[in-house]
Amino acid sequence: MRTMRPLVHPSIEDITVEGILHALSDPVRAAIYAELSISSGATCSNFLKISDRDIPKSTLSQHFRALREAGLIRSERQGVEMRNSTRCEEINQRFPGLIMTIMKAHQIQAAERMRATKRKQGSGRSRVG
Amino acid sequence: MRTMRPLVHPSIEDITVEGILHALSDPVRAAIYAELSISSGATCSNFLKISDRDIPKSTLSQHFRALREAGLIRSERQGVEMRNSTRCEEINQRFPGLIMTIMKAHQIQAAERMRATKRKQGSGRSRVG
DNA sequence: TCTATAGTTCATAAGTTACGAACTACAGGA
DNA sequence: TCCTGTAGTTCGTAACTTATGAACTATAGA
């Protein structure tokens, strides 16, 4: 029976800007990271449904791996599940403001999209579900 | 004779955070953007050599297209060449601090790498070229 | 030991990127 | 007008990356 390869967490000096940007340039990963920075300790399966989209378990697992190996999150096994938390304090030491500003930009964009959707719904007058 | 497709510059509201992060997650594109933000008006061919690496012309052209279509730069034909400039003021309006913080992080990383290289060279004592 | 739940790995299909060769675009002569 | 040189783009394809289902490992609890 083959054993599983251990989780990889780069040390803070091995984290790269390119890696961070690439990891957060994916909307699913950005959403996961945003959620984790609010409610630390969430598991992989908490994200099987993300903004009305179904993400397969194997895909999610890869996204968590990408975030982990870019140095953005830390994952720890706790019984049968995996608890995840951000490494934002560490990263903020090394690249001040980077993560915060990126997440803020994502927020601004989400708010704009929300407004755009509302406008469209409003112009349609009393939709039928 | 087939005519060439015109340059695409997204309007400011069509620029996305994902697009910006993805474009700047490539080290060549980040270097191009950094250079443009210092010396506006540089052309594509100014980057055929970038930090000791030769980049083929066709690859460079694609990198400029990526930056342009992500909304990061504006390109204008001027005679036989193409003048490029950043759209940082516009983007800064929409996503305050985003570009600046990313470029700052790239700088920090470049400075660290420089120091690491110097340490290595120093420990080797009087290399031969 | 059996079962259920959580997550990973692997194979591969689908998508993206890099780059040489051939092209378009323009300027400045002849 | 045609020719030549320089700047940049496009296209085909090889190399790389990402998404996903099926099969797996890992752990807890009965």
Side-chain angles (χ1 to χ4, degrees):
Chain A
M1 191 210 263
R2 287 183 50 54
T3 179
M4 246 151 164
R5 85 154 175 49
L7 300 184
V8 173
H9 291 101
S11 68
I12 184 69
E13 65 269 20
D14 290 338
I15 294 176
T16 67
V17 182
E18 297 91 313
I20 293 175
L21 298 188
H22 180 252
L24 294 179
S25 73
D26 179 281
V28 172
R29 286 193 295 260
I32 291 172
Y33 187 87
E35 184 58 34
L36 281 180
S37 59
I38 302 169
S39 64
S40 191
T43 69
C44 196
S45 301
N46 292 157
F47 298 95
L48 285 167
K49 197 146 208 145
I50 206 166
S51 47
D52 291 338
R53 225 160 74 70
D54 287 319
I55 317 282
K57 211 162 57 130
S58 61
T59 303
L60 263 191
S61 176
Q62 298 297 359
H63 281 314
F64 273 87
R65 176 142 94 107
L67 288 168
R68 187 166 54 238
E69 300 194 348
L72 283 162
I73 66 171
R74 195 176 291 284
S75 314
E76 288 170 291
R77 184 173 276 280
Q78 208 156 95
V80 78
E81 54 191 23
M82 212 65 132
R83 302 253 151 224
N84 297 283
S85 54
T86 72
R87 294 177 65 181
C88 56
E89 293 88 353
E90 274 174 281
I91 296 173
N92 201 49
Q93 290 282 316
R94 182 142 176 242
F95 302 121
L98 182 61
I99 302 297
M100 208 201 68
T101 315
I102 292 174
M103 295 322 288
K104 182 73 193 155
H106 270 297
Q107 260 173 47
I108 291 170
Q109 182 174 278
E112 278 174 9
R113 281 182 181 162
M114 185 76 88
R115 268 186 285 123
T117 307
K118 283 222 177 108
R119 245 200 312 285
K120 213 180 254 169
Q121 290 184 349
S123 71
R125 295 264 188 261
S126 65
R127 292 149 302 114
V128 179
Chain B
M1 191 211 265
R2 287 184 49 56
T3 180
M4 248 150 164
R5 84 160 178 42
L7 301 183
V8 173
H9 291 100
S11 67
I12 185 69
E13 66 268 20
D14 290 338
I15 294 176
T16 66
V17 182
E18 297 91 313
I20 291 175
L21 299 188
H22 180 251
L24 294 180
S25 73
D26 180 280
V28 172
R29 287 194 294 263
I32 292 173
Y33 187 87
E35 183 58 33
L36 282 179
S37 59
I38 303 168
S39 64
S40 190
T43 69
C44 195
S45 302
N46 293 158
F47 297 94
L48 285 168
K49 196 144 209 145
I50 207 166
S51 45
D52 293 337
R53 225 159 74 71
D54 287 317
I55 316 281
K57 212 160 56 127
S58 61
T59 304
L60 263 191
S61 177
Q62 299 296 358
H63 281 315
F64 274 87
R65 177 141 93 106
L67 287 169
R68 187 166 55 237
E69 300 194 349
L72 283 161
I73 65 171
R74 194 175 290 286
S75 315
E76 288 171 292
R77 187 173 273 281
Q78 208 155 96
V80 78
E81 54 191 24
M82 211 67 131
R83 302 255 150 221
N84 297 282
S85 53
T86 71
R87 295 177 66 179
C88 56
E89 293 88 355
E90 274 174 279
I91 296 173
N92 200 49
Q93 291 282 315
R94 183 143 176 240
F95 302 121
L98 182 60
I99 301 298
M100 208 200 67
T101 314
I102 292 174
M103 295 322 289
K104 182 74 192 154
H106 271 296
Q107 261 170 46
I108 290 170
Q109 182 174 277
E112 277 174 10
R113 282 181 181 164
M114 185 77 86
R115 268 187 287 122
T117 306
K118 284 222 177 108
R119 246 200 312 284
K120 216 179 255 169
Q121 290 184 351
S123 72
R125 295 264 187 261
S126 68
R127 291 148 303 114
V128 178

